Structures are given as C-alpha cells and as structure tokens.
Amino acid sequence: MVRLLRPLVRGRTYTRLLHLWVPVAALSVWWWVEPELPWVPLLVLVAVGLIPAVRVGEVMQARLLLTPDEAEPDFATLPAIAWRDRWRTVLWLEVRTLLGGVAACLTVWLPIVAYTLAARTVGHETEDLPALSGQPQWFCGLLAPLPLLALYAAVVGLGEVLTAAARRLLGPSAAERLTALEVRTEQLLERTRIARELHDSIGHALTVAVVQAGAARAANSPEFTDRALTAIEETGRAALEDLERVLGVLREAERPVSARPTLTDADRLLESARASGAKVDAEVTGPLESLPGPVSREGYRILQEALTNVLRHAGPVPALVRIGVADGTLTLEVRNALPDAGAAPGRGSGLRGIRERAALLGGRARTGPDGAGDWQVRVELPLG
C-alpha cells in the first residue's frame, strides 16, 4: 500500500500534471471562441512543430517538468534540423495536446462525480447524475472513493505515458547519437593526447634538469655549472610554454590554440640534450618544412621522448639522431650506447607512447637493442 501511494509525495507527479495542463490552458481559449472547430489548433501544431527551434523549447519543458529529478535525461540538445526529427516534434506536440485534453477532462469530471456520489448518499439532489436522482442511495457512499482512485491512477499513468513519449519523440535520433558519440570519442582522444604531451614535455624538462644538476655537481666547474643552469632555464621555459598551451585547451575548448612544435624545431631538443652532457650527432635529410602538420608535430614528440629516454635511462652517453624524408616516409632513428650490459632503458610509458603515436599515424616503431651494444628507436611514419 505504501508503495502504491508513494507517487503522492513525489514532486514530479504534480509537475507532470502541470505539463499536461499547459497546452490545454493555451488551446482552451480557442475552443471557447470557436467550439465548432476544435481541430484547427491541431493543424496549427503541425506548422509549429516543423520549426527547428521548437524542439529545444519542448526539451527544456520536459527536463523541468517531466524529469526534474534526473541530472541528465536522455533528450536531444540541438534544434531539429533533419525532417525526420521535425516530424517527430510534430507528433510529440499532437500527443502532448491529446493527452493533456484527456487529463483536463478527467481532473475536472472525476472530482465532480465523486462529489455527486457523496451528495446522493445524504439525499442531496444533483443534475450531474440524473440516474441517481430520487431517494438517498446508501451505496453511493461506497462508490464515492472510486472516481478519486481513478483520478489518482489517471494522473500517475498519464504522467508516465507522457514521459515515455517524450523520451521517444524528443530523444536524440540515431544520427545525433552517432554524432554525440563521435564528439565524445574526440574529447577522450584529446584528453589522451594532452596527457601524452604533458608526459613528453614536462618529463623531458624534468629529466634534463635532473641530469644537468647532477652533472654540474659532479663537474665542480663554475663554467660547466653556468652552462647547466642556462640549459635548465631554457628547457624549463619551453616546458612552461607547453604547459600553458595545454592548460589553455583545458580551460577554454573553443579558444584558438597556438601551434605545437614541429620537427623544424628539432634543434631545440638536440641542444637541450647536448647541454645535458650527451654527445648528440644529428643527420637530417629531406625537406622537413614540407611535412604534413600532424606528422611533423607527432615526429617532434617522438624525437623528444626518445631523447628523454636516453638521458633518463642511459645518462649523458653518445647518441646518433637521424631524421630523413624520402619516398613518402618520415624516418626517425635514435641510437645510443648503453652504459652497461645490464641496462634496459625505456621500460616505462615512454616507449609505449612512441608506439601509440606511430600507430595512430599508420606507421610503425621498433625499439630495443640492435645487437651491436646500442639501443635503437626507429620510427617510420607515412606522409599520406
């Protein structure tokens, strides 16, 4: 019994009833002026429902009155652009109006019937139920609660039916759901990319700073210490620029984002590694400035992570960097000597990030010992 009466204490029961009354209250003016043409408002609703922005207004009402206790009800959020969605809005308006008319009739006449039955119990004459006129009818007192129970069931039931119709007719179409899924996927990919960039840029800066500080302390040379501090400052400034750009993306998604570094800025990475004590030889062949933007930007990050791995796991050891553009392929190769036979650099997320970046661009990455005592990172990225 308590479960059956629970809707009586729920606010949404009454907000749904209000939602049913709203269109009837507006259309009753017409029905009062032209009672002979009650179907005209239904035709007008067809033209109104074809307006794209109408769905937005109907969704706002449905959120506030039909599902007030749901944080994110499954309703469309954009105007109805496709004709199929517009006709769904038209059907919604018609269904809402018809159900509202039924609710208005029941909420008016069922209480009257209950009152009439109660009045006949004590012998009061009424004109609403002429079949019960005459002497007091004792059984009318037993029937009087039934219209109120019917009214309660009608209010709750019509509210549920209207809410189900709203979810079906005002919900996003299959195309809109697909678009929303694509947007969500892009957001997740963007978050992954941002996390990867933070790992690459900030991780590189911290690695350089740690290596430089350790080398400066071991060298015990003012000149070397000065160079180390300069390298730490430059690397830190570059990392702060990357951090500010990424935070700008997180704070304001629609704000234009400054250009990410590309392989034409690779000298900055090489100088940073050299300032950390590593002897880096570089061979660049082919026009780097002609690389497609995504390939050049991801190539920069791959090279950054490869050099970071060298400094982090092998220290300031000799390294060879080859960057080549030929036959529609960008080739990046970083080789470095291992400090000892037991070293196994790059077991963390760095090499995994390199492989993921290469795979996203349709390329391939090979990492590991080359059999000659060196550690090799070789990445090939297609340009088209």
Side-chain angles (χ1 to χ4, degrees), residues 200-213:
D200 292 348
S201 60
I202 306 302
H204 175 77
L206 292 176
T207 300
V208 169
V210 170
V211 173
Q212 289 279 16

PDB file of all heavy atoms in Angstrom, residues 200-213:
ATOM      1  N   ASP A 200      55.384  14.015 -22.206  1.00  0.00           N
ATOM      2  CA  ASP A 200      56.581  14.220 -23.038  1.00  0.00           C
ATOM      3  C   ASP A 200      57.311  15.504 -22.672  1.00  0.00           C
ATOM      4  O   ASP A 200      58.522  15.499 -22.419  1.00  0.00           O
ATOM      5  CB  ASP A 200      56.178  14.246 -24.516  1.00  0.00           C
ATOM      6  CG  ASP A 200      55.697  12.896 -25.006  1.00  0.00           C
ATOM      7  OD1 ASP A 200      55.900  11.912 -24.272  1.00  0.00           O
ATOM      8  OD2 ASP A 200      55.101  12.824 -26.091  1.00  0.00           O
ATOM      9  N   SER A 201      56.584  16.631 -22.660  1.00  0.00           N
ATOM     10  CA  SER A 201      57.251  17.923 -22.468  1.00  0.00           C
ATOM     11  C   SER A 201      57.740  18.110 -21.039  1.00  0.00           C
ATOM     12  O   SER A 201      58.908  18.449 -20.811  1.00  0.00           O
ATOM     13  CB  SER A 201      56.301  19.058 -22.854  1.00  0.00           C
ATOM     14  OG  SER A 201      55.136  19.013 -22.047  1.00  0.00           O
ATOM     15  N   ILE A 202      56.857  17.882 -20.060  1.00  0.00           N
ATOM     16  CA  ILE A 202      57.260  18.072 -18.671  1.00  0.00           C
ATOM     17  C   ILE A 202      58.274  17.009 -18.246  1.00  0.00           C
ATOM     18  O   ILE A 202      59.248  17.294 -17.542  1.00  0.00           O
ATOM     19  CB  ILE A 202      56.031  18.041 -17.742  1.00  0.00           C
ATOM     20  CG1 ILE A 202      54.987  19.056 -18.213  1.00  0.00           C
ATOM     21  CG2 ILE A 202      56.444  18.321 -16.312  1.00  0.00           C
ATOM     22  CD1 ILE A 202      55.500  20.465 -18.283  1.00  0.00           C
ATOM     23  N   GLY A 203      58.046  15.766 -18.686  1.00  0.00           N
ATOM     24  CA  GLY A 203      59.011  14.710 -18.365  1.00  0.00           C
ATOM     25  C   GLY A 203      60.381  15.002 -18.939  1.00  0.00           C
ATOM     26  O   GLY A 203      61.409  14.776 -18.286  1.00  0.00           O
ATOM     27  N   HIS A 204      60.399  15.529 -20.186  1.00  0.00           N
ATOM     28  CA  HIS A 204      61.682  15.874 -20.804  1.00  0.00           C
ATOM     29  C   HIS A 204      62.368  16.982 -20.010  1.00  0.00           C
ATOM     30  O   HIS A 204      63.573  16.907 -19.735  1.00  0.00           O
ATOM     31  CB  HIS A 204      61.438  16.318 -22.243  1.00  0.00           C
ATOM     32  CG  HIS A 204      62.667  16.814 -22.937  1.00  0.00           C
ATOM     33  ND1 HIS A 204      63.632  15.961 -23.430  1.00  0.00           N
ATOM     34  CD2 HIS A 204      63.106  18.070 -23.206  1.00  0.00           C
ATOM     35  CE1 HIS A 204      64.602  16.671 -23.988  1.00  0.00           C
ATOM     36  NE2 HIS A 204      64.307  17.954 -23.860  1.00  0.00           N
ATOM     37  N   ALA A 205      61.608  18.005 -19.629  1.00  0.00           N
ATOM     38  CA  ALA A 205      62.213  19.124 -18.900  1.00  0.00           C
ATOM     39  C   ALA A 205      62.764  18.682 -17.558  1.00  0.00           C
ATOM     40  O   ALA A 205      63.875  19.066 -17.166  1.00  0.00           O
ATOM     41  CB  ALA A 205      61.165  20.232 -18.710  1.00  0.00           C
ATOM     42  N   LEU A 206      62.003  17.854 -16.839  1.00  0.00           N
ATOM     43  CA  LEU A 206      62.474  17.390 -15.539  1.00  0.00           C
ATOM     44  C   LEU A 206      63.698  16.492 -15.678  1.00  0.00           C
ATOM     45  O   LEU A 206      64.633  16.555 -14.863  1.00  0.00           O
ATOM     46  CB  LEU A 206      61.350  16.643 -14.815  1.00  0.00           C
ATOM     47  CG  LEU A 206      60.163  17.500 -14.362  1.00  0.00           C
ATOM     48  CD1 LEU A 206      59.084  16.623 -13.754  1.00  0.00           C
ATOM     49  CD2 LEU A 206      60.624  18.564 -13.368  1.00  0.00           C
ATOM     50  N   THR A 207      63.692  15.643 -16.705  1.00  0.00           N
ATOM     51  CA  THR A 207      64.851  14.772 -16.916  1.00  0.00           C
ATOM     52  C   THR A 207      66.104  15.586 -17.198  1.00  0.00           C
ATOM     53  O   THR A 207      67.180  15.336 -16.638  1.00  0.00           O
ATOM     54  CB  THR A 207      64.570  13.810 -18.077  1.00  0.00           C
ATOM     55  OG1 THR A 207      63.432  13.003 -17.758  1.00  0.00           O
ATOM     56  CG2 THR A 207      65.770  12.912 -18.347  1.00  0.00           C
ATOM     57  N   VAL A 208      65.963  16.601 -18.083  1.00  0.00           N
ATOM     58  CA  VAL A 208      67.113  17.452 -18.395  1.00  0.00           C
ATOM     59  C   VAL A 208      67.593  18.179 -17.144  1.00  0.00           C
ATOM     60  O   VAL A 208      68.797  18.280 -16.881  1.00  0.00           O
ATOM     61  CB  VAL A 208      66.740  18.450 -19.503  1.00  0.00           C
ATOM     62  CG1 VAL A 208      67.834  19.512 -19.662  1.00  0.00           C
ATOM     63  CG2 VAL A 208      66.530  17.725 -20.820  1.00  0.00           C
ATOM     64  N   ALA A 209      66.644  18.690 -16.361  1.00  0.00           N
ATOM     65  CA  ALA A 209      67.034  19.425 -15.158  1.00  0.00           C
ATOM     66  C   ALA A 209      67.783  18.528 -14.177  1.00  0.00           C
ATOM     67  O   ALA A 209      68.806  18.928 -13.592  1.00  0.00           O
ATOM     68  CB  ALA A 209      65.801  20.028 -14.487  1.00  0.00           C
ATOM     69  N   VAL A 210      67.288  17.314 -13.983  1.00  0.00           N
ATOM     70  CA  VAL A 210      67.942  16.394 -13.044  1.00  0.00           C
ATOM     71  C   VAL A 210      69.334  16.023 -13.535  1.00  0.00           C
ATOM     72  O   VAL A 210      70.323  16.031 -12.765  1.00  0.00           O
ATOM     73  CB  VAL A 210      67.075  15.136 -12.845  1.00  0.00           C
ATOM     74  CG1 VAL A 210      67.844  14.072 -12.066  1.00  0.00           C
ATOM     75  CG2 VAL A 210      65.785  15.496 -12.113  1.00  0.00           C
ATOM     76  N   VAL A 211      69.447  15.693 -14.824  1.00  0.00           N
ATOM     77  CA  VAL A 211      70.747  15.295 -15.374  1.00  0.00           C
ATOM     78  C   VAL A 211      71.724  16.461 -15.316  1.00  0.00           C
ATOM     79  O   VAL A 211      72.911  16.304 -14.944  1.00  0.00           O
ATOM     80  CB  VAL A 211      70.579  14.769 -16.809  1.00  0.00           C
ATOM     81  CG1 VAL A 211      71.936  14.518 -17.456  1.00  0.00           C
ATOM     82  CG2 VAL A 211      69.754  13.488 -16.811  1.00  0.00           C
ATOM     83  N   GLN A 212      71.236  17.663 -15.670  1.00  0.00           N
ATOM     84  CA  GLN A 212      72.118  18.835 -15.645  1.00  0.00           C
ATOM     85  C   GLN A 212      72.595  19.137 -14.228  1.00  0.00           C
ATOM     86  O   GLN A 212      73.774  19.437 -13.999  1.00  0.00           O
ATOM     87  CB  GLN A 212      71.349  20.048 -16.198  1.00  0.00           C
ATOM     88  CG  GLN A 212      71.091  19.981 -17.684  1.00  0.00           C
ATOM     89  CD  GLN A 212      72.318  20.422 -18.476  1.00  0.00           C
ATOM     90  OE1 GLN A 212      73.433  20.491 -17.954  1.00  0.00           O
ATOM     91  NE2 GLN A 212      72.114  20.693 -19.754  1.00  0.00           N
ATOM     92  N   ALA A 213      71.679  19.067 -13.268  1.00  0.00           N
ATOM     93  CA  ALA A 213      72.078  19.363 -11.886  1.00  0.00           C
ATOM     94  C   ALA A 213      73.094  18.356 -11.378  1.00  0.00           C
ATOM     95  O   ALA A 213      74.087  18.720 -10.724  1.00  0.00           O
ATOM     96  CB  ALA A 213      70.829  19.374 -10.993  1.00  0.00           C
TER      97      ALA A 213
END
